[in-house]
Amino acid sequence: MAFSISMSIRSQPLDYGYELNEFDPFFNFRATEYIIENGFSEYFQWHDNKSWYPEGRNVSATSQIMLHSTAAITYQLFGGNSSLYDYTIMFPAIIGSLTVIVIFALVRLLGGNLAGMIASLLFAVSLPIILRGTAGWFKSEPLGIFYGILGLYLFLSAIKSKNQKITILKIVFASIVMAFGMASWGGNQFFIIPVGLFILALPFVNKDHKFLLWGVPLFVGLFLLISSLFERPGPNFVFGLGGISLMIPTVFLIICIIIQKVSSEKNKIRNGLFFLFSIFILASFFLALSSQFDLSNEKLDENFIPLPSFRYLNALNPFLTNSDPLVDSVGEHAPVSTNLSFLLHSIWMIFAGLGIWLLFSKKISQNENYVKNDMKLFVLIIGISGAYVSSAFIRLEIFASITLIILSSIGLSLLTKEIFKISFSNKKNYLIKILYSIIIISFFTTPLVYPEQGNWINVVDEPPIIFTGASMYPPTNDWLETMEWIKVNTPENAKIAAWWDYGYWITALSERTTFVDNATLSTNEIQKMATVLMSPPEESWKMLKEMNADYVLVFVAAQDIGNNSENEPLYVVGGGGDESKVFWISKVGGFPAEKYLELDVKTPKPNFYENTLLGKLIPFSPVVYYQPSTEKNSPVYKNGFIEISVKNIKYNSDNDPLKLVYASPSFMNDNDGELLFVVLYEVNKNYNLSYNPLN
């Protein structure tokens, strides 16, 4: 049932069209296709010259290798007659649904069969996980979570196993799977936190010290060895903060067991805790000396160990502040608000707290040995660490969801067992059980259906972004038709300049070369593109010519609001296209946004339309400003007024620095309502800077 529910919810975007969703999946499809067509040996030598022109991109060193490898291998095994493109669309939904089985196994290990079954159902409907795992979401998270949870299950299962041969196999496979997870999704580094903390606690809660002395070092050693073989995460992770966060606990475990062995029965716990405290002090001192983080420019001064990027450091220390506008401009890096946390997790937050209380309730511990002490501690550790790291970014709410699923399912299973221990000897007890079942089912189904337009099921009932351009307007085929037009009507060696959001679409769908894309490999190159868009047109033309750019692509969203008295169509420009990104493009390029935007930080000033390339490329010009509540017009902007524009193609001549060569169907055939369209301009390499049509 959990698998079926999971597949049904995750497949909703297919109602709008069978396409990949978001941006990164298009690159991941292209990389997987490269493996299918050329083999693994060529893939690991692939330097992609169609992206990040002219330097290109070393794909295997900058990608999630296991995502591409797993998809390529499973496609060859199970793809049947489907195309690779269709297979990669379904891949995340299938992997996400298979993960309900893995989460069942993990939570069953921790809290029993009932807890495991509840966990599988909760995982199937978890909003943060669904949001990053629908059909078409061919990105790192679904496969990374699958490998990560499977690796945790195998590791914990090995600790609980009494059969040494099976234990060795589980440890070996746990190491391999965890390493695969690291090579699938960088976010899996956060699974390392609870594992490292758990290893620190094992000498105090697990009496089988003989097993711990060889089992844990074998797991950590194999995991780090296999991780080092991948270019990403690679040696930087092994010898950096991630690897050390496992090495130090492992060394501590060995020394602590030796200390406890030579200590008296009375003092061995005290001596072990004193040694643990000393390790924390020394580790903190070492990290303080090893690297210094410069918050002003986000550069790491690496003296002893390499530290991870700012995103990972920010998750470890949510109080770090970021001043990089490129990082700030990405929605998934936004901080988490209290309201958002309640939307994402709802009643689970309460049942997770109940789970912690019941786990450590003396009455339950004494009457029924539901959860072993070491597993109790792991549940508590993963619960705290998951809530902690997820406080930094919206994207990391996935980890909060996983930990809340574990805690909620165990808590609910313990509570249910206590309730159903009541004898059926009288009608009162029977009614209590029925009432309890109704209340619990109501609690957990409410966020699935309420509120009507914002519940956990229909919130992912949205079209793939390729249909909307990540705008707020209904889907169209403009992007797909534009990519096809470029593929058919431009030279194969054409180089297209565009804001970095669209790079993956251009290279994957139109098979043309781009300068920047969603990998954000070079902040400098993205800043350069922002400078091109926000500079005066003639300066921008010089930069485009130096870059050897052939075309410039712009995406625009607007709304047709009817005609004026002269029967001329009027528009409100805005809704998620490049016209709505002026603030962030300015910030990234180092331009003062107030120079181009009015006080509402969204309405462009005349200076934007007149003196920037992007303003010239947007085919609209303002004619009046309108106040809806008072129905007044103004020739200049006033606070609370809305810009009303008319169509105006500014570059449409061979005498201009750029010339419009294509506009997608919505721009040419619009009716009253929303417009989403793409325009493509050819760079006039023969433009005469000294030419002035007014002379």
Side-chain angles (χ1 to χ4, degrees), residues 416-441:
T416 302
K417 289 176 181 178
E418 288 297 306
I419 293 293
F420 278 80
K421 280 168 58 178
I422 300 173
S423 172
F424 280 95
S425 58
N426 58 66
K427 292 183 178 180
K428 181 179 178 181
N429 292 341
Y430 185 75
L431 290 174
I432 289 174
K433 296 171 184 178
I434 294 177
L435 183 61
Y436 166 81
S437 301
I438 293 173
I439 291 173
I440 293 300
I441 292 172

Side-chain angles (χ1 to χ4, degrees), residues 357-421:
W357 178 67
L358 290 174
L359 272 174
F360 293 91
S361 168
K362 290 184 178 180
K363 178 182 177 183
I364 292 179
S365 298
Q366 290 173 357
N367 292 342
E368 295 283 351
N369 192 18
Y370 289 121
V371 185
K372 299 291 184 181
N373 285 335
D374 52 356
M375 296 298 109
K376 282 184 184 179
L377 193 57
F378 177 80
V379 169
L380 182 62
I381 288 172
I382 196 172
I384 294 174
S385 59
Y388 179 78
V389 300
S390 64
S391 63
F393 300 136
I394 290 177
R395 185 179 187 181
L396 297 181
E397 282 294 301
I398 285 177
F399 290 99
S401 184
I402 292 172
T403 57
L404 290 174
I405 287 171
I406 294 172
L407 290 168
S408 296
S409 56
I410 292 176
L412 185 57
S413 70
L414 292 174
L415 180 62
T416 302
K417 289 176 181 178
E418 288 297 306
I419 293 293
F420 278 80
K421 280 168 58 178

Side-chain angles (χ1 to χ4, degrees), residues 503-533:
Y504 281 159
W505 290 353
I506 296 170
T507 51
L509 295 176
S510 70
E511 299 179 6
R512 295 300 180 262
T513 301
T514 59
F515 296 87
V516 293
D517 61 38
N518 312 71
T520 62
L521 296 178
S522 171
T523 300
N524 290 335
E525 292 302 312
I526 295 177
Q527 289 173 340
K528 183 178 178 180
M529 186 61 65
T531 302
V532 168
L533 294 173

Side-chain angles (χ1 to χ4, degrees), residues 602-613:
K602 64 178 182 179
T603 302
K605 289 182 175 180
N607 184 48
F608 168 75
Y609 287 112
E610 296 168 3
N611 296 309
T612 69
L613 178 66

Side-chain angles (χ1 to χ4, degrees), residues 216-362:
V216 172
L218 177 61
F219 167 75
V220 172
L222 279 176
F223 167 68
L224 294 179
L225 175 63
I226 298 169
S227 297
S228 69
L229 299 178
F230 292 101
E231 292 178 90
R232 183 179 179 184
N236 280 342
F237 165 76
V238 173
F239 299 105
L241 192 58
I244 287 177
S245 65
L246 288 178
M247 293 179 193
I248 291 178
T250 303
V251 173
F252 164 80
L253 178 140
I254 295 171
I255 298 176
C256 185
I257 289 175
I258 295 173
I259 290 175
Q260 290 184 352
K261 189 173 182 180
V262 300
S263 300
S264 64
E265 188 68 25
K266 178 181 177 181
N267 297 326
K268 65 179 185 179
I269 299 297
R270 184 201 65 183
N271 293 344
L273 291 173
F274 179 78
F275 179 56
L276 177 61
F277 181 75
S278 302
I279 289 291
F280 274 120
I281 297 296
L282 290 173
S284 301
F285 181 71
F286 177 75
L287 287 175
L289 288 178
S290 65
S291 298
Q292 295 177 342
F293 190 70
D294 184 351
L295 293 178
S296 64
N297 58 16
E298 279 120 56
K299 290 183 180 178
L300 296 177
D301 179 18
E302 299 172 349
N303 297 323
F304 295 104
I305 61 172
L307 291 182
S309 67
F310 177 84
R311 290 179 297 167
Y312 297 105
L313 288 175
N314 197 184
L316 295 175
N317 182 3
F319 296 102
L320 284 178
T321 56
N322 180 39
S323 58
D324 185 349
L326 180 59
V327 175
D328 290 341
S329 68
V330 181
E332 64 188 22
H333 295 160
V336 182
S337 65
T338 303
N339 289 342
L340 183 60
S341 290
F342 275 101
L343 169 67
L344 294 175
H345 307 300
S346 186
I347 196 68
W348 298 356
M349 301 173 76
I350 297 174
F351 277 93
L354 178 66
I356 294 175
W357 178 67
L358 290 174
L359 272 174
F360 293 91
S361 168
K362 290 184 178 180

